[in-house]
Amino acid sequence: MDTKFSVAVHALILISESPKPIDSERMARSVGTNASYIRKILGLLKKANIVGSHRGVTGFSLLLPPERLTLLRVYQAVMGESQCHLLDIHQNASDQCIVGRHIRPVLTSMFEQAESAFTRALSEQTLAQCIEGIRGRL
């Protein structure tokens, strides 16, 4: 399972809540990974104009207010897909089998509905809501 999305949200909350730009080493300690992986994620977020950095200043800052940053935008930035693609169908099903012959269109329809619901849910959630969720647990 790919964890880029959850790591990105974690890092963005740290960036948003830090009073000064936070570096990848501090983020890595909080996330429980190495700084190079954090820099890879931050590079994707920077390319999507979600975070920025300034020459001569260590650390990153948000380019959007948390209230305007949807989780869908974060997901698409780090997963590299315009649409959420969660589920794949196995290849090479036998056309000689009644199930093999019909499984792809049946599952494709179901999977598209699930992915559409996932996309809709992420588009309705913001980084600010994640921050509030953290604060609510304190």
Side-chain angles (χ1 to χ4, degrees), residues 49-101:
N49 295 314
I50 293 172
V51 299
S53 60
H54 302 285
R55 192 169 283 226
V57 177
T58 302
F60 293 85
S61 56
L62 280 179
L63 298 179
L64 298 167
E67 299 79 23
R68 289 193 28 231
L69 181 54
T70 68
L71 296 186
L72 179 60
R73 183 163 178 189
V74 175
Y75 181 89
Q76 290 171 333
V78 298
M79 300 308 287
E81 299 181 28
S82 58
Q83 287 189 299
C84 297
H85 181 75
L86 304 172
L87 306 165
D88 284 319
I89 301 171
H90 58 286
Q91 300 296 312
N92 305 320
S94 172
D95 283 341
Q96 304 303 310
C97 170
I98 192 164
V99 175
R101 191 169 38 250

Side-chain angles (χ1 to χ4, degrees), residues 7-128:
V7 169
V9 172
H10 189 138
L12 289 168
I13 291 170
L14 290 171
I15 292 167
S16 174
E17 296 303 289
S18 179
K20 58 185 179 178
I22 182 171
D23 66 28
S24 59
E25 293 290 335
R26 272 189 53 207
M27 286 185 238
R29 283 193 299 275
S30 178
V31 172
T33 191
N34 61 61
S36 65
Y37 185 68
I38 294 294
R39 286 189 293 273
K40 176 183 174 184
I41 299 296
L42 291 170
L44 295 169
L45 295 171
K46 188 173 181 177
K47 185 178 178 183
N49 295 314
I50 293 172
V51 299
S53 60
H54 302 285
R55 192 169 283 226
V57 177
T58 302
F60 293 85
S61 56
L62 280 179
L63 298 179
L64 298 167
E67 299 79 23
R68 289 193 28 231
L69 181 54
T70 68
L71 296 186
L72 179 60
R73 183 163 178 189
V74 175
Y75 181 89
Q76 290 171 333
V78 298
M79 300 308 287
E81 299 181 28
S82 58
Q83 287 189 299
C84 297
H85 181 75
L86 304 172
L87 306 165
D88 284 319
I89 301 171
H90 58 286
Q91 300 296 312
N92 305 320
S94 172
D95 283 341
Q96 304 303 310
C97 170
I98 192 164
V99 175
R101 191 169 38 250
H102 300 287
I103 193 69
R104 181 169 286 283
V106 169
L107 290 181
T108 296
S109 175
M110 290 178 184
F111 290 1
E112 285 172 352
Q113 289 175 27
E115 290 168 349
S116 177
F118 179 71
T119 300
R120 189 173 41 259
L122 289 183
S123 72
E124 294 170 355
Q125 299 293 313
T126 66
L127 185 65

